[in-house]
Amino acid sequence: MTNQAAADLIARSNRLGADPKNTNYAGGNTSAKGTETDPVTGEPVELLWVKGSGGDLGTLKESGLAVLRLDRLRDLVEVYPGVEREDEMVAAFDYTLHGKGGAAPSIDTAMHGLVDAAHVDHLHPDSGIAIATAADGEELTGKIFGDKVVWVPWRRPGFQLGLDIAEIKAKNPQAVGCILGGHGITAWGDASEESERNSLWIIDTAAAYLAEHGKADPFGAVVPGYEPLPEAERRAKAAALAPTIRGLASYDRPQVGHFTDADVVLEFLSREQLAPLAALGTSCPDHFLRTKVKPLVLDLPADASIEDSIARLKELHEQYRADYQAYYDAYATPESPAIRGADPAIVLVPGVGMFSFGANKQTARVAGEFYVNAINVMRGAESLSTYAPISDEEKFRIEYWALEEAKLQRMPKPKTHATRIALVTGAASGIGKAIATRLAAEGACVVIADLDLEKAQAAAAELGNSDVAIGVQANVTDAAAIQRAIDDAVLAFGGLDLVVNNAGLSLSKPLLETTEADWDLQHDVMAKGSFLVSKAAAKVLIEQGLGGDIIYISSKNSVFAGPNNIAYSATKADQAHQVRLLAVELGEYGIKVNGINPDGVVRGSGIFASGWGANRAKTYGIEEEDLGKFYAQRTILKREVLPEHVANAVFVLTGPELSHTTGLHIPVDAGVAAAFLR
């Protein structure tokens, strides 16, 4: 049963974390102190419950709390070796845990344990960080809060910061909290409600002061030509630039992207202070760990051509990498972790918006959210004073902190398709849906494209939220519709890596009953449709420079001459040869093109459900419900083929094991000798 103090802590944390004005995603931490019975002695024992490392306040559960014995935690003060060796104290936390201890304690645990208050909140509100990063932040703190909030000069999070804040509280009994220079706020209270009330009072008081006393144009005047483009125009430009930008952001390692053209971003990009403020970078440790020390800013007006924008972005990327290497070299010591990559995490395009990048979609999206936080912070600081973030040297000490490196090393190994962005056509049902499901399970971001938008969106929702999958409408016979779907894909996830040409239909008729319309329909959807999708996707894959995969779901019928099947089999043979042709043409770009030849996929198949099954059953003189068994019995293995078996083949062809395979067709037919490839 949850202790009441812990239960109150979780409820408070969820309330505070649910409102972005209070703190960023996974930012800040909260704690509560209380008493439980020690199961060993049967005596009361004082405990500290504190949000564990890496958790998020808004979604915090009991499992996300670290639980420590307060007496042992405070005894660490007696063996503290000093600020030069304070990192050693993190390992010492393990010896203060109560029982198994719950979640791993974070670097801020000392702050919560050493401050003499039953409840403590450490948060990263934009309004508070605006004061914390103002050049005269200490003076502003006194002016805004009087003696109820105390200024704490910048200090890297750790044991010493906990000692500092504990001392400040002891010397200032009237105070309800602190502004932590360059970082955020900390508040406390004897009851959970009091701590929450004090936190919100600091946040809201800072926000009200900024609103009343801040100047109206802290970012300066609008620069002519840098105003936001009309929505349709800016999103078209964003889609056109996205493959280039993702390729640049993925020079060292593949990244997933996120795009936003929120008003707060576009307004910042249009102002004269854009370049100097962006160059200063972010300040709050949570911010720059996600956004890097500074963004890459395209220094061209909104109406610059796509060609000029791409050329300039590539020049700026070279300079960015050189600058980042210089930053690393300036502050790295022999003990520093190796450089983790010199590419930008944030790319700003005036008139268009912001691209943000990370190891997965959620990380990329959150990085963008953090940079929006940083814009708000810069606006607030500049409106009252001058924005003065912590130094690059201090940023480096956190970015390449041994404790941060250890945290990264503890992260689970990525799945095989992590960072890969897949577009699957005809994916709202049947084989396409099975493929999309498998790719998402293996870590890919998936775009489900289907003629039926509602069904595509429903299928995507089954896989997870929009960080995992989206549904788009795509008529594969229409080049413009295909381009819209691919634009949606690159704006959702930053680019494209893997395309599955699965959309199809079939009409089972003998030659003399096959009409010209029957022939045209099947060739338009499968032969022409695959060609159009591959052509549009190849432009993205080539521009990114990251290689990629194109998969054709062809058919055993591309090889086997079955009865009453002229139009379908002919178009499948067309698809099969497209595989060979494109494998040769696209290989120089590292793009693999392979095919899969299924047969007899009855259960879950959209094609069979649409009448094809009934026609094939009639052709073979059996009942439609027996068709799957019939197909299985005519195979060498006597096994029925399901959509999941085709998905397995897509997984293998696009995974790391077959990285050197292109131009191949894999049969997934349980063995049909007449369809063996020769």
Side-chain angles (χ1 to χ4, degrees):
M1 187 168 63
T2 305
N3 180 282
Q4 188 58 50
D8 290 344
L9 168 63
I10 292 168
R12 175 174 99 244
S13 301
N14 293 164
R15 287 192 298 269
L16 289 170
D19 191 337
K21 81 176 176 64
N22 298 330
T23 200
N24 49 266
Y25 174 81
N29 30 71
T30 51
S31 67
K33 301 177 182 75
T35 303
E36 274 199 349
T37 301
D38 188 326
V40 175
T41 66
E43 298 296 323
V45 59
E46 278 194 284
L47 299 178
L48 170 73
W49 291 268
V50 59
K51 192 202 85 170
S53 178
D56 172 56
L57 290 176
T59 55
L60 183 66
K61 296 180 175 61
E62 187 174 8
S63 59
L65 295 174
V67 190
L68 304 92
R69 282 185 52 146
L70 201 53
D71 57 344
R72 292 182 65 81
L73 177 63
R74 288 176 170 168
D75 283 344
L76 291 177
V77 174
E78 304 304 319
V79 297
Y80 175 51
V83 69
E84 295 302 318
R85 292 171 53 192
E86 70 171 341
D87 288 1
E88 297 172 21
M89 305 308 287
V90 173
F93 290 153
D94 290 347
Y95 296 92
T96 73
L97 299 176
H98 180 64
K100 294 183 178 180
S106 77
I107 191 65
D108 287 315
T109 298
M111 178 198 305
H112 293 273
L114 301 180
V115 169
D116 185 20
H119 297 266
V120 178
D121 299 328
H122 168 60
L123 303 169
H124 300 150
D126 293 349
S127 63
I129 305 175
I131 308 303
T133 56
D136 53 349
E138 183 171 5
E139 180 184 341
L140 283 169
T141 298
K143 186 181 297 184
I144 297 169
F145 304 104
D147 63 357
K148 291 185 68 176
V149 176
V150 182
W151 174 263
V152 181
W154 160 260
R155 186 185 290 282
R156 189 174 68 164
F159 204 85
Q160 187 61 53
L161 181 60
L163 287 170
D164 292 348
I165 296 176
E167 182 179 7
I168 284 170
K169 183 181 184 306
K171 290 182 176 179
N172 296 273
Q174 79 290 347
V176 301
C178 299
I179 297 289
L180 280 59
H183 185 165
I185 74 166
T186 296
W188 48 75
D190 292 330
S192 184
E193 296 81 2
E194 183 183 5
S195 184
E196 183 176 2
R197 187 166 60 248
N198 289 338
S199 293
L200 295 174
W201 178 78
I202 295 173
I203 293 166
D204 294 341
T205 300
Y209 190 90
L210 289 165
E212 183 178 351
H213 298 280
K215 60 184 178 183
D217 57 348
F219 294 148
V222 172
V223 179
Y226 282 69
E227 302 93 340
L229 295 170
E231 182 178 5
E233 191 176 337
R234 70 173 178 262
R235 292 185 72 82
K237 188 171 184 180
L241 294 178
T244 300
I245 294 173
R246 184 186 181 219
L248 299 178
S250 302
Y251 187 88
D252 285 320
R253 62 179 62 87
Q255 300 283 287
V256 177
H258 175 74
F259 172 74
T260 180
D261 56 355
D263 290 345
V264 63
V265 173
L266 293 171
E267 192 260 344
F268 178 59
L269 299 184
S270 70
R271 300 285 175 159
E272 59 186 357
Q273 288 299 306
L274 165 63
L277 287 173
L280 291 174
T282 54
S283 187
C284 175
D286 260 23
H287 292 181
F288 65 76
L289 281 172
R290 302 268 194 157
T291 65
K292 279 199 163 165
V293 287
K294 63 180 181 180
L296 186 157
V297 183
L298 178 61
D299 53 0
L300 293 178
D303 63 356
S305 69
I306 299 298
E307 294 74 21
D308 288 348
S309 298
I310 287 174
R312 184 58 179 152
L313 282 165
K314 291 179 177 179
E315 292 173 355
L316 291 168
H317 179 246
E318 288 186 20
Q319 185 60 53
Y320 187 99
R321 289 180 59 82
D323 289 348
Y324 190 87
Q325 184 68 57
Y327 156 78
Y328 180 86
D329 293 342
Y331 304 116
T333 67
E335 292 76 35
S336 297
I339 191 169
R340 297 195 194 100
D343 299 320
I346 303 291
V347 178
L348 303 175
V349 181
V352 176
M354 172 175 63
F355 296 85
S356 53
F357 295 90
N360 53 54
K361 170 65 178 186
Q362 183 194 54
T363 304
R365 175 176 53 78
V366 168
E369 291 172 0
F370 280 17
Y371 199 79
V372 169
N373 290 137
I375 292 172
N376 293 335
V377 166
M378 288 186 279
R379 178 189 294 106
E382 286 284 310
S383 73
L384 295 178
S385 174
T386 301
Y387 175 62
I390 64 174
S391 68
D392 281 359
E393 182 175 9
E394 285 299 307
K395 290 176 184 177
F396 183 88
R397 290 184 66 222
I398 290 180
E399 186 177 0
Y400 286 93
W401 200 355
L403 295 176
E404 185 66 28
E405 181 68 15
K407 183 177 176 181
L408 292 172
Q409 294 302 323
R410 289 195 301 269
M411 294 180 69
K413 184 180 178 181
K415 294 182 178 180
T416 57
H417 286 59
T419 76
R420 306 210 75 194
I421 301 157
L423 172 74
V424 185
T425 65
S429 62
I431 290 172
K433 187 176 181 180
I435 293 168
T437 301
R438 180 63 189 272
L439 292 175
E442 301 299 339
C445 298
V446 180
V447 180
I448 292 182
D450 201 272
L451 192 59
D452 189 319
L453 176 60
E454 188 174 326
K455 289 182 179 178
Q457 292 174 334
E462 289 180 32
L463 300 183
N465 62 24
S466 57
D467 289 343
V468 176
I470 64 167
V472 301
Q473 187 171 38
N475 178 352
V476 297
T477 69
D478 181 344
I482 291 168
Q483 189 60 55
R484 285 193 296 273
I486 287 182
D487 287 352
D488 288 343
V490 301
L491 289 179
F493 298 117
L496 198 58
D497 300 293
L498 194 166
V499 177
V500 182
N501 279 308
N502 169 75
L505 78 162
S506 185
L507 302 171
S508 173
K509 294 182 180 180
L511 172 63
L512 297 182
E513 295 178 17
T514 301
T515 67
E516 192 173 339
D518 294 335
W519 177 274
D520 288 344
L521 175 60
Q522 292 181 86
H523 279 72
D524 280 352
V525 171
M526 290 176 285
K528 177 185 171 184
S530 296
F531 154 70
L532 291 175
V533 170
S534 296
K535 180 180 178 181
K539 293 177 183 176
V540 175
L541 299 178
I542 292 169
E543 181 59 30
Q544 285 177 154
L546 302 174
D549 283 279
I550 299 177
I551 299 290
Y552 280 68
I553 306 302
S554 184
S555 170
K556 170 266 297 180
N557 287 39
S558 67
V559 180
F560 173 73
N564 301 337
N565 213 3
I566 177 65
Y568 178 80
S569 295
T571 196
K572 285 298 179 182
D574 186 316
Q575 285 186 304
H577 200 47
Q578 285 185 39
V579 168
R580 293 182 278 268
L581 294 166
L582 296 186
V584 172
E585 184 173 341
L586 299 178
E588 67 177 292
Y589 304 106
I591 301 168
K592 297 155 52 217
V593 187
N594 292 290
I596 297 169
N597 289 344
D599 182 48
V601 184
V602 178
R603 277 194 275 169
S605 168
I607 286 180
F608 277 86
S610 65
W612 167 261
N615 287 331
R616 299 317 289 165
K618 182 179 179 182
T619 296
Y620 295 120
I622 60 173
E623 296 297 320
E624 184 177 357
E625 59 266 26
D626 296 328
L627 195 57
K629 295 177 184 177
F630 172 81
Y631 280 140
Q633 289 307 307
R634 73 181 189 182
T635 69
I636 295 169
L637 297 175
K638 304 292 190 288
R639 296 174 185 168
E640 184 175 356
V641 181
L642 302 176
E644 290 73 20
H645 300 140
V646 183
N648 292 343
V650 173
F651 162 68
V652 174
L653 277 171
T654 58
E657 288 83 1
L658 294 185
S659 60
H660 290 57
T661 299
T662 192
L664 174 70
H665 276 280
I666 293 183
V668 182
D669 58 10
V672 178
F676 283 176
L677 297 173
R678 295 175 176 85

